[in-house]
Amino acid sequence: MPLACLTLLVPELLWPEPEDREAWDGLACPALATLLARGRSGHAPRQAFETVLAALCGHGETGALAACRRLGENDRAAADGAVWLCCDPVHLRFHQDSLIPADASRIELGGDDADALAAALDAELSAWGRFSSAAPGRGYLRLAAGRKPDDFGAPPLSAVAGRRVEHLLADASGDWRALFNEIQMFLHDHPVNCRREAAGQLPVNAFWLWGAGALPARPEATAGFDGVWSGDPLARGLARAGGAAAHALPDGAAEVLGAPGQGSGASRLAVLDALLAPAQYEHGADWRAALLELEARWFAPARAALAAGRLARLEIVAPTAYATLRWSIGRGDLVKIWRRPRAPAQIAGALVQATHAGQGEHAPAAQAARPPGRNDPIEHPHPPQR
């Protein structure tokens, strides 16, 4: 029996600047172009990648993302009913009167430094709860009893990395801002940061706080997916919270398409986030290379599976700077040859034109050509590594 549905979640599928010739010129993705042209398209307002992921997994309360991500770290303590908060290390810098965060992947933060900083915060700021580190870029705060998750509302780090955040800091609730400021002051002269600066590395001068909430007592089903494939602990945690199997992301679509348990009702989700970091930090060459890999390893095999009848339907969901875009492609759609393939650059350009004209299919959801809050790339002591 064919696999009923494969959903590919691909954040930043469209490069944020359609006029950037370096990123777009000569970029050939024939399988993707065919799928986007012949599928049925829809759109919603722009949303953070994590918000879209939670919705796909049937998780209505997106405020519990920290607890879900903690669950994805193989830590069953996340299910103890406590309120968790993602507490992720960043480097904040001023650029042209704007404050811009860079995440751990941009500042060469190792596990030893991350662990030391989390332990120091845990000892110094215990009134707020218990701090811990699961990986260089992923920290957590188990909020102390009496702290309300509603007082810690902030967008995920992926939505702010490489973008201006001073307006978010000004609008933050009192508790969020108080904890944020306490952490900044504590980190200012911390020995870890003094050592990093002496070695020519950027200091960790803040932690981004987001995703506050507790796992529901009765987790919601994972939207009908019998399996979720991803390298993201949040995706793994959402799958586990909803009773779906969580798998590591393979090199390509073949393993997901051929996984045991196929049947008329089988449905799978693969989270392909390789385009996210290059788009956040405006590294067009890295984004372009990652898209070509997705074309070869995922889009072309998925199109072939549709054509061969091994896959009944393909869904492509793409949170982008313009909007949250979605395409649904059935086997029968592939024969609609009158729908000529459109390169992703053409789609991006059409979204911007619709915005400027104030009309068109995507006008209500589309954003400006240069996304709000975007600035020049973060300056690094060494070139960032993918």
Side-chain angles (χ1 to χ4, degrees):
M1 295 291 292
L3 180 64
C5 181
L6 172 61
T7 298
L8 303 180
L9 176 59
V10 195
E12 303 295 353
L13 178 62
L14 302 181
W15 181 246
E17 300 184 44
E19 299 303 320
D20 186 348
R21 303 274 52 95
E22 182 179 357
W24 288 117
D25 278 358
L27 182 59
C29 297
L32 176 62
T34 298
L35 291 168
L36 300 189
R38 295 179 185 170
R40 290 155 290 174
S41 63
H43 63 272
R46 187 178 62 181
Q47 296 171 296
F49 153 63
E50 291 85 353
T51 303
V52 177
L53 172 59
L56 280 175
C57 290
H59 200 284
E61 295 296 328
T62 57
L65 293 183
C68 288
R69 196 181 77 174
R70 185 73 184 185
L71 185 63
E73 308 275 13
N74 297 319
D75 186 352
R76 291 292 171 180
D80 66 0
V83 174
W84 291 86
L85 190 65
C86 290
C87 188
D88 297 338
V90 298
H91 171 78
L92 290 174
R93 68 149 185 157
F94 278 102
H95 176 74
Q96 296 179 351
D97 297 324
S98 294
L99 197 59
I100 304 172
D103 64 25
S105 68
R106 305 293 105 177
I107 60 177
E108 301 178 337
L109 181 64
D112 290 344
D113 283 354
D115 290 344
L117 290 172
L121 289 174
D122 190 55
E124 180 71 16
L125 303 177
S126 59
W128 291 96
R130 300 303 306 273
F131 292 83
S132 59
S133 176
R138 301 193 304 274
Y140 296 92
L141 170 60
R142 187 182 188 273
L143 281 173
R147 300 286 185 183
K148 298 178 181 179
D150 291 346
D151 294 332
F152 294 90
L157 179 55
S158 74
V160 300
R163 302 177 184 180
R164 298 192 300 267
V165 296
E166 60 271 13
H167 62 292
L168 294 173
L169 302 182
D171 295 339
S173 70
D175 275 1
W176 191 99
R177 190 163 52 245
L179 177 55
F180 187 85
N181 289 339
E182 281 195 49
I183 291 174
Q184 277 196 294
M185 289 187 291
F186 176 70
L187 294 173
H188 179 65
D189 291 322
H190 192 276
V192 168
N193 280 328
C194 293
R195 185 175 67 250
R196 288 179 60 83
E197 291 186 282
Q201 296 176 311
L202 294 175
V204 176
N205 56 15
F207 278 71
W208 191 256
L209 312 166
W210 64 278
L215 283 180
R218 293 185 177 181
E220 301 177 47
T222 311
F225 295 121
D226 63 313
V228 176
W229 280 257
S230 176
D232 186 340
L234 174 58
R236 294 195 299 267
L238 287 166
R240 290 167 182 165
H247 307 274
L249 187 69
D251 290 336
E255 182 175 325
V256 179
L257 291 167
Q262 288 188 12
S264 58
S267 179
R268 278 98 193 241
L269 169 66
V271 181
L272 311 179
D273 56 3
L275 303 173
L276 185 58
Q280 286 173 330
Y281 296 102
E282 298 187 337
H283 294 299
D286 285 355
W287 179 89
R288 182 186 178 101
L291 183 62
L292 290 173
E293 284 197 15
L294 293 178
E295 166 75 9
R297 298 176 183 271
W298 290 91
F299 301 134
R303 183 184 67 173
L306 276 173
R310 293 183 288 111
L311 175 63
R313 189 173 81 258
L314 176 68
E315 301 277 342
I316 299 176
V317 183
T320 73
Y322 313 97
T324 300
L325 307 175
R326 185 164 191 156
W327 292 267
S328 180
I329 310 102
R331 185 184 183 189
D333 293 319
L334 294 181
V335 302
K336 297 176 180 178
I337 58 176
W338 59 89
R339 292 186 177 178
R340 301 184 61 183
R342 298 173 67 199
Q346 293 177 297
I347 296 173
L351 286 166
V352 172
Q353 290 178 6
T355 301
H356 290 167
Q359 58 186 5
E361 180 185 2
H362 295 286
Q367 305 294 323
R370 192 170 180 84
R374 190 168 285 277
N375 267 289
D376 294 337
I378 299 290
E379 294 175 1
H380 307 284
H382 305 289
Q385 301 296 314
R386 286 186 56 236

